[in-house]
Amino acid sequence: MHFLAGFPNTYAYRTVVYNTCDLYFTADASMLDELDLSCDPDEVTGVRWIHPTTIDPAEIAFDSTRKAIQSYVARLVNQKNSPSYSQHKPFQIK
């Protein structure tokens, strides 16, 4: 696991707005598939593997998460020795 980025965010809960710092990490998941992941059904409705460049930023709720995805894609594009996109299996928690 490697640190990718951290971005400030705000989270409104009831009548309080919390200032947060969202931290993002990457990990090699090339040996995993959806059956390897277990999620709390009260928190997550599903998991699917998607190519990072196919993510529509308008579908992401938090600005910090949009920035993290942009950072991840930029890092992949800029790395000389990065694996090809077809070898990457990032996942999205819905």
Side-chain angles (χ1 to χ4, degrees):
M1 185 180 310
H2 300 281
F3 178 73
L4 173 65
F7 300 101
N9 197 6
T10 56
Y11 177 74
Y13 181 72
R14 297 188 184 183
T15 61
V16 179
V17 176
Y18 296 94
N19 292 309
T20 65
C21 181
D22 297 339
L23 303 177
Y24 296 88
F25 297 84
T26 63
D28 182 359
S30 60
M31 301 301 289
L32 298 176
D33 63 30
E34 293 167 2
L35 299 176
D36 293 319
L37 304 173
S38 63
C39 301
D40 181 344
D42 293 334
E43 299 289 332
V44 178
T45 59
V47 174
R48 61 186 170 133
W49 299 104
I50 58 174
H51 189 283
T53 61
T54 64
I55 299 170
D56 179 0
E59 293 183 12
I60 305 298
F62 300 110
D63 186 50
S64 59
T65 304
R66 283 189 294 276
K67 289 178 182 176
I69 292 169
Q70 290 170 343
S71 294
Y72 179 71
V73 170
R75 187 176 77 177
L76 288 177
V77 169
N78 291 326
Q79 286 180 344
K80 282 193 240 179
N81 298 321
S82 70
S84 70
Y85 284 136
S86 62
Q87 293 172 341
H88 269 269
K89 287 176 60 178
F91 65 90
Q92 172 189 13
I93 299 177
K94 316 186 257 183

